[in-house]
Amino acid sequence: MPLWHTAQESAAQRVTRAHEEDTGTAPAHVASAPATWPLIGEHVDHFGGLTLVGLSDLRAAAAVSPRQDDVISIVCHQQRVDPSGKDVEPEVTHGSSSLEEAAQLAAAQQPELDDNGQTITPPDPTGGIVQRLAGMVYSMVNRQLLSRDTAGLDITVVTDIPDDAGLGNAAAVDTAVALALLGDSPELSDAPLRARLADICASSAETFSEFPALRTRYSAALRGDGQNITVVDYADNSVTHAPHPLTDELAAFVVVPPPSSGDASAVAQRLEAARDIRRRQRFVSQACHAFGAESLRLLPDAPQRVVEWLEAVHRVHGTEGTPRTDEAASWLNFYEAETERAESFAKALRSRRGADLFPLLAASQRSVDVDYQLGGTEELAQLLTLRGAVAARALTAGTSAAVVAYVPAAKAPNFAADAAEDGFTVVALTAGTPAGLD
């Protein structure tokens, strides 16, 4: 496989042309959003932990225009590269939905109570890009960011972000569409509106997307700084920044092993991991509700107290629909340890102690694989380390097999070329810019 590359013409320029070709009209607004890559902490947001995310120069762009009917028509152009490194025609997905269909999907995700007053967990959402983007429009209407008179829309998307590389392709598409829908707002550059929009994007993805959303991606894409790392502390929902670890002396690459997401077994594994991650997130939410806490991080002695609560639930209501106590204990201990590692990582960035970053990344990789039991990336991380990376860590373990490798700049060209020659898809990480109108 070659190094991943994109067309010289920007995604925003291409989506403008594609929208005119697909719909016969010029777009009302065009917006684009960057790929995002988590450095550490992406599994602890529901716990109330700390998550660090960077922006990439790869982008997704969206163009929108109104229709005269109530159809939400969506066309997505996904950039591809063939094994020889030549550009090939983008993969094009067509689909349509409506606000009424989105409302039905949203209603199906509302929890109910059984005869004993216990919550009946709704089925996991199964929506792809069409349902997700129609759901985005529905969510923005219901959260009063769009007029209730909103009906039909033509939405065209062009994305240069690999879909299975852990770089937040779906989040970038969501963000670009949301900004394009709000193209007339004079407050679009203001932090309060962007914070609200990030929250709506994340909650909408949770409701409609078959894969669980990483909330930090939306905050980073909308409120990040391309020259720095975005730090989101979910104890108080604060968004701050830390110096970027990539310098003239250190490069980074996303390495994606074959098979791609188009392989049936790979897709099945990703969906199974998505269900498992949602199961953990719902357990955390139930524990928060039981203790009346905004997050478990704010609950003193959370691992011990939550396990004791779970044991009581098992005695009274049985074990159906809940994790084993040893599972829960392992998850909770991981959340606390990973949050501490993320805090140490942020401190090391801010004090510019670069050498302290790599042991933390290595410890996080081991813990995600062993303690949190989202395996599948450990062998690749070890291989990349043996090949010259000073650290290698899964980007989004479970839902992607991709690993980010940190490589001394002097070795970077040979490292990337060797990995590509061995059949891996290699994406160079270069600082990007926040989402905005184009």
Side-chain angles (χ1 to χ4, degrees):
M1 289 295 290
L3 290 170
W4 185 267
H5 67 275
T6 60
Q8 292 184 347
E9 189 179 25
S10 72
Q13 292 172 317
R14 281 177 282 139
V15 82
T16 300
R17 186 173 62 252
H19 188 82
E20 292 175 347
E21 294 173 353
D22 292 337
T23 68
T25 61
H29 299 288
V30 175
S32 65
T36 48
W37 55 286
L39 286 81
I40 195 170
E42 70 278 6
H43 298 292
V44 299
D45 57 338
H46 280 69
F47 175 75
L50 207 70
T51 305
L52 287 80
V53 177
L55 306 183
S56 163
D57 63 336
L58 297 177
R59 295 184 82 80
V64 302
S65 60
R67 290 173 61 102
Q68 299 304 312
D69 53 22
D70 62 353
V71 174
I72 300 176
S73 177
I74 295 161
V75 181
C76 178
H77 302 255
Q78 173 73 53
Q79 177 70 24
R80 297 185 299 150
V81 177
D82 76 0
S84 67
K86 298 178 181 178
D87 290 325
V88 295
E89 288 298 315
E91 180 180 350
V92 182
T93 301
H94 297 262
S96 63
S97 186
S98 66
L99 291 180
E100 182 179 355
E101 291 178 8
Q104 293 172 355
L105 292 175
Q109 290 299 306
Q110 298 305 309
E112 299 178 353
L113 298 179
D114 63 17
D115 294 339
N116 297 319
Q118 293 297 297
T119 300
I120 301 174
T121 302
D124 290 341
T126 58
I129 186 171
V130 174
Q131 293 76 20
R132 199 179 70 240
L133 294 184
M136 172 75 68
V137 178
Y138 169 83
S139 298
M140 293 176 69
V141 170
N142 279 269
R143 297 283 285 271
Q144 300 180 347
L145 279 184
L146 290 178
S147 168
R148 292 197 176 274
D149 294 330
T150 301
L153 291 165
D154 283 316
I155 300 175
T156 305
V157 172
V158 167
T159 177
D160 290 334
I161 306 168
D163 193 39
D164 57 353
L167 287 168
N169 182 42
V173 169
D174 292 346
T175 303
V177 170
L179 283 175
L181 290 169
L182 289 180
D184 290 326
S185 174
E187 302 174 349
L188 203 55
S189 298
D190 296 347
L193 179 58
R194 287 193 165 227
R196 186 180 176 198
L197 190 58
D199 178 63
I200 292 173
C201 287
S203 62
S204 178
E206 286 291 340
T207 301
F208 297 100
S209 176
E210 64 182 342
F211 292 104
L214 175 56
R215 293 183 291 168
T216 318
R217 292 192 190 274
Y218 299 101
S219 295
L222 286 161
R223 304 175 64 189
D225 175 354
Q227 302 306 311
N228 293 285
I229 295 300
T230 302
V231 182
V232 182
D233 190 336
Y234 284 102
D236 57 8
N237 291 309
S238 63
V239 177
T240 57
H241 300 96
H244 210 293
L246 303 187
T247 63
D248 292 340
E249 299 178 353
L250 184 68
F253 300 93
V254 175
V255 181
V256 188
S260 69
S261 60
D263 181 87
S265 62
V267 173
Q269 291 172 4
R270 291 177 67 200
L271 290 173
E272 180 62 32
R275 287 189 286 269
D276 194 21
I277 291 171
R278 274 206 170 91
R279 175 171 167 256
R280 301 173 193 209
Q281 292 175 347
R282 284 171 174 163
F283 169 70
V284 170
S285 297
Q286 290 166 355
C288 288
H289 178 73
F291 285 94
E294 290 189 16
S295 74
L296 293 186
R297 185 179 170 196
L298 300 177
L299 180 69
D301 302 320
Q304 178 181 347
R305 294 173 66 183
V306 171
V307 168
E308 290 173 352
W309 162 77
L310 180 60
E311 291 173 341
V313 171
H314 286 173
R315 287 194 298 271
V316 176
H317 299 290
T319 60
E320 184 177 356
T322 60
R324 303 189 313 269
T325 53
D326 62 319
E327 277 186 309
S330 179
W331 300 344
L332 293 163
N333 289 329
F334 168 80
Y335 294 143
E336 283 206 333
E338 185 75 350
T339 297
E340 291 177 3
R341 284 188 287 266
E343 289 178 316
S344 298
F345 197 94
K347 291 176 182 177
L349 284 178
R350 287 171 172 145
S351 59
R352 300 185 185 278
R353 292 180 284 110
D356 292 350
L357 302 176
F358 309 131
L360 291 168
L361 291 171
S364 176
Q365 171 64 39
R366 288 193 300 271
S367 189
V368 167
D369 183 64
V370 176
D371 301 324
Y372 204 48
Q373 298 178 350
L374 286 181
T377 58
E378 185 68 18
E379 290 185 3
L380 178 57
Q382 292 176 355
L383 173 64
L384 298 177
T385 302
L386 291 173
R387 293 226 176 151
V390 292
R393 183 184 180 277
L395 274 175
T396 51
T399 55
S400 171
V403 169
V404 58
Y406 299 85
V407 184
K411 299 180 180 180
N414 288 339
F415 177 92
D418 290 345
E421 186 175 347
D422 286 343
F424 297 104
T425 299
V426 182
V427 185
L429 287 175
T430 304
T433 56
L437 292 179
D438 291 277

